[in-house]
Amino acid sequence: MNQWKFVRNAVGLFGSAVHEGQTKTGTELAPRALREGGLISALYNLGWEINDMGDIQGKNYRIHNHKSQYFRNSQQVGIINGEINKRSFEIAKQNKFMLNIGGDHGVASGSIHGLLQHYGDELRVVWVDAHADCNYELGPNRNYHGMPLAHLYGSIHEPIKGFEWLKHRLDPKNITYIAIRDIDPMEREFIREQKIVYYGMDEIIELGIGQVMNRILKQFEGKPIHVSFDVDSIDPEFAHGTGTLVDGGISYREAHYLLRKLASSRQLVGMDLVEINPQLEKTPEFREEFFGDFQQIGRIQGTQTVALGIELIASALGRTLVL
């Protein structure tokens, strides 16, 4: 494989088996499902060395008799993300590609923070999601999977037990959103005030995904890039196994194209793949196999969204259609 700019030919992989950032169980099952579906062999077939560090299990950090005024499971979520932060930083220090397979999207505060520790303000983030995940309204019924970027932006000012490790901040000018279409009013105002670059579905339709990616790569030229990919960015027709379905998302082809385009830049240093919930698939049956499915990456097996998840990671790590 060709040499990438910031990482050597090695992946540091870990699972964030976590659902505590929201109310639905099932996202904690995704790391195992992805591995059993053929993720490791797919990456190996693409030429990567793989260091599978196992899973961070959210259930191992359960705190009893703790009621939070900030958001659900706040102390537990903070401790979990602290562990994710450590792994992400350790992987980046070794110049490996950081691959975090979740898990709900709340795990991204830890993974991105670990990369910020290593790359500093040079790090750029492409956030692919139906949601902006920067809601900073606190309360006991809030879900952290809609808030990780608010924490990284510094919009949450309260010192929250469990998050003592969170020191670095992500400058809003260093992130770009793709596929957002379900935005809270305060998030809408924050995006406007901070002049955050975004490509919602209207912009993607108007410009085309090719022009969107050309603009992003020009904006982030020469910088290390992390992609945080929530499967609810994709239209439910193609990815139904997730907890916050929003109609009108990007297509199967657009999702793969944007990841292949990021990979072709050789600037990627990390990826989160989050919010796959095998319990919410339309059917427990494995996805139908099509001719050509396994070129370059070998055989993959899984339900619709699990199999798609493996393919998406492969596209981000160099799978191509022709050469």
Side-chain angles (χ1 to χ4, degrees):
M1 60 177 288
N2 294 330
Q3 185 67 39
W4 287 33
K5 293 181 180 178
F6 301 101
V7 296
R8 59 187 177 88
N9 189 32
V11 173
L13 158 69
F14 63 93
S16 295
V18 176
H19 68 82
E20 285 76 9
Q22 35 93 60
T23 57
K24 296 177 182 177
T25 61
T27 52
E28 74 280 6
L29 306 176
R32 179 176 179 178
L34 290 164
R35 288 190 183 91
E36 291 180 348
L39 174 62
I40 304 301
S41 59
L43 301 184
Y44 179 80
N45 288 334
L46 287 171
W48 291 89
E49 298 173 16
I50 303 147
N51 176 23
D52 188 347
M53 304 167 73
D55 290 348
I56 294 170
Q57 297 278 351
K59 64 183 180 181
N60 293 340
Y61 301 91
R62 192 164 295 134
I63 297 172
H64 299 285
N65 302 318
H66 173 72
K67 291 191 71 174
S68 172
Q69 60 181 313
Y70 301 115
F71 46 84
R72 286 187 176 92
N73 309 309
S74 63
Q75 186 175 354
Q76 182 184 4
V77 168
I79 295 170
I80 291 167
N81 268 291
E83 294 301 311
I84 294 169
N85 166 65
K86 290 177 188 175
R87 288 204 187 177
S88 176
F89 178 54
E90 188 63 31
I91 291 166
K93 276 200 311 182
Q94 298 175 51
N95 296 318
K96 295 178 181 178
F97 185 97
M98 191 284 298
L99 178 57
N100 173 27
I101 51 175
D104 68 66
H105 215 162
V107 303
S109 63
S111 62
I112 293 174
H113 190 273
L115 296 180
L116 284 169
Q117 280 187 267
H118 181 69
Y119 294 104
D121 291 338
E122 291 292 290
L123 183 70
R124 302 294 185 265
V125 175
V126 176
W127 191 272
V128 189
D129 197 329
H131 309 93
D133 289 354
C134 61
N135 193 307
Y136 52 87
E137 181 181 352
L138 301 177
N141 296 319
R142 308 299 298 178
N143 294 317
Y144 189 70
H145 77 157
M147 306 169 73
L149 282 174
H151 236 154
L152 289 168
Y153 292 151
S155 301
I156 296 175
H157 304 291
E158 290 80 354
I160 299 175
K161 193 171 182 179
F163 283 90
E164 293 83 2
W165 51 270
L166 200 154
K167 309 291 185 186
H168 296 269
R169 295 288 179 259
L170 177 67
D171 191 321
K173 75 175 185 298
N174 292 338
I175 191 170
T176 292
Y177 286 114
I178 298 179
I180 55 173
R181 56 194 186 277
D182 183 21
I183 311 300
D184 295 334
M186 71 165 53
E187 294 177 321
R188 193 183 306 273
E189 187 61 27
F190 184 84
I191 290 169
R192 182 183 297 113
E193 287 178 354
Q194 296 295 322
K195 297 181 172 58
I196 296 176
V197 176
Y198 69 91
Y199 298 94
M201 293 311 303
D202 285 348
E203 289 74 26
I204 291 170
I205 291 168
E206 181 178 348
L207 296 169
I209 194 65
Q211 184 64 16
V212 166
M213 295 313 299
N214 286 337
R215 290 187 178 193
I216 290 172
L217 290 179
K218 183 176 181 180
Q219 177 189 358
F220 291 166
E221 186 174 2
K223 304 295 185 181
I225 298 173
H226 172 75
V227 58
S228 198
F229 197 106
D230 187 325
V231 294
D232 71 22
S233 62
I234 302 172
D235 194 273
E237 178 184 354
F238 307 103
H240 196 273
T242 187
T244 48
L245 297 169
V246 184
D247 280 334
I250 57 176
S251 69
Y252 176 95
R253 289 190 300 176
E254 289 168 331
H256 278 289
Y257 176 83
L258 76 86
L259 290 170
R260 289 197 303 269
K261 192 72 172 178
L262 289 171
S264 70
S265 75
R266 307 300 180 192
Q267 294 169 229
L268 273 183
V269 298
M271 179 181 189
D272 308 308
L273 182 74
V274 297
E275 296 287 355
I276 291 177
N277 190 330
Q279 293 181 343
L280 298 178
E281 294 278 28
K282 281 185 177 179
T283 170
E285 303 299 320
F286 280 6
R287 190 188 67 177
E288 180 183 2
E289 296 179 4
F290 297 98
F291 186 76
D293 269 356
F294 312 119
Q295 291 181 0
Q296 292 184 293
I297 60 174
R299 189 178 191 85
I300 58 173
Q301 291 185 308
T303 55
Q304 179 197 44
T305 313
V306 169
L308 174 60
I310 296 169
E311 292 178 337
L312 292 170
I313 294 170
S315 288
L317 284 165
R319 183 191 185 198
T320 57
L321 294 183
V322 183
L323 298 179

